[in-house]
Amino acid sequence: MLAELRVHAASRRITPPAFQPHLPSAVRYWALGQRQTRAWAPHLANARGLIDTTIDDIPVRRTVAVLGSGPLFEVPLESLARTFERVLLIDRAHLSAIRPRLGRYANIELQWRDLATGDTLDLAFLAAIDGLDWVISSNLLGEMAAAAPPGQSRRMIERHLTALAALPCPATLITDIDYRVFNRHGVVLDSADLMQGHVLPRSGLRWKWEAAPFGAEHRHTRRVHTVSAWADWRVASSI
């Protein structure tokens, strides 16, 4: 708890006032990731591995934009910073905890944007970024759906996917698509479709993410997410 308070206080000093209300949830997610390094390791390896291998498919490497960069759990920041002239991390919260990783490179920039509201859903702001050669949407759709007004979750998801598909550069998509809550006997106690009924193509990679192992939320339950990922959503969505 003390570490969380310190991160929140330090993050507040560097966060624009309009985005400070997002800090508590961002700190809680960061703290959960710190506690669950072992359980999350396979998921993070898969996500980082996809991004690392996709770098080889990007012929021109001027600017890469990471949407939903958050605490950088899924982002191989060092690989991006070494291979691109400019790395843009775009999210509504950038915690002080990521500063040590940022400080090693002079080509990383932070942008504060709430990607789940207004014109940002259509990603129109990306058109103003010079030399944009790659966009990565990292574990963002589920968060967008959770923050949506009642009845608007699916619409928000579809707007984001449509905007990614229309980009003039490769668009890598990593998202959790559903979850199930199990008891210790393997019985499903709860489940949810995080895509709100929107059907995604099965052409991408797919893996399980033990987001909350036994004891993380309740002593006798664990929550497991299904994650899907595509190196270039533009190609996957056109098939």
Side-chain angles (χ1 to χ4, degrees), residues 177-178 199-208 226-230 233 236-237 239:
I177 61 174
D178 62 37
V199 179
L200 296 172
R202 298 189 63 86
S203 55
L205 301 176
R206 187 164 292 199
W207 63 83
K208 297 297 183 181
T226 303
V227 179
S228 288
W230 296 265
W233 174 249
S237 63
I239 297 175

Side-chain angles (χ1 to χ4, degrees), residues 5-218:
L5 292 174
R6 287 174 175 170
V7 169
H8 185 279
S11 301
R12 188 176 180 84
R13 290 194 291 269
I14 62 174
T15 301
F19 293 92
Q20 290 177 1
H22 300 299
L23 287 175
S25 60
V27 171
R28 285 194 297 271
Y29 182 67
W30 167 81
L32 177 62
Q34 295 298 110
R35 292 192 298 270
Q36 303 303 335
T37 52
R38 181 176 180 180
W40 287 19
H43 160 66
L44 300 184
N46 285 329
R48 293 169 186 164
L50 172 63
I51 295 173
D52 269 330
T53 57
T54 304
I55 290 175
D56 296 333
D57 298 327
I58 310 298
V60 181
R61 301 170 186 173
R62 294 169 297 177
T63 300
V64 55
V66 184
L67 309 179
S69 54
L72 302 176
F73 289 148
E74 288 94 355
V75 182
L77 183 66
E78 293 74 13
S79 297
L80 297 178
R82 287 194 299 264
T83 54
F84 281 80
E85 296 175 11
R86 183 185 182 204
V87 179
L88 297 181
L89 303 179
I90 303 173
D91 210 335
R92 62 187 186 181
H94 299 286
L95 300 181
S96 62
I98 70 173
R99 289 287 172 157
R101 293 179 69 184
L102 304 185
R104 303 171 190 169
Y105 304 95
N107 59 337
I108 300 173
E109 301 175 28
L110 303 180
Q111 286 191 10
W112 278 264
R113 288 185 182 272
D114 188 346
L115 296 165
T117 61
D119 293 338
T120 57
L121 281 170
D122 298 319
L123 305 182
F125 68 92
L126 293 177
I129 299 175
D130 293 332
L132 184 61
D133 294 314
W134 188 19
V135 172
I136 302 168
S137 177
S138 174
N139 219 20
L140 181 59
L141 285 180
E143 179 182 336
M144 291 172 61
Q152 296 297 310
S153 297
R154 178 165 176 169
R155 177 173 173 270
M156 292 177 69
I157 289 169
E158 291 175 344
R159 283 181 64 180
H160 184 74
L161 293 175
T162 299
L164 287 177
L167 289 174
C169 63
T172 295
L173 173 63
I174 302 171
T175 182
D176 45 351
I177 61 174
D178 62 37
Y179 72 76
R180 293 182 179 181
V181 177
F182 298 88
N183 66 15
R184 291 188 179 273
H185 301 289
V187 177
V188 177
L189 304 178
D190 189 19
S191 64
D193 172 15
L194 299 178
M195 295 297 99
Q196 306 298 313
H198 181 84
V199 179
L200 296 172
R202 298 189 63 86
S203 55
L205 301 176
R206 187 164 292 199
W207 63 83
K208 297 297 183 181
W209 171 23
E210 190 169 15
F214 290 117
E217 294 176 334
H218 301 285

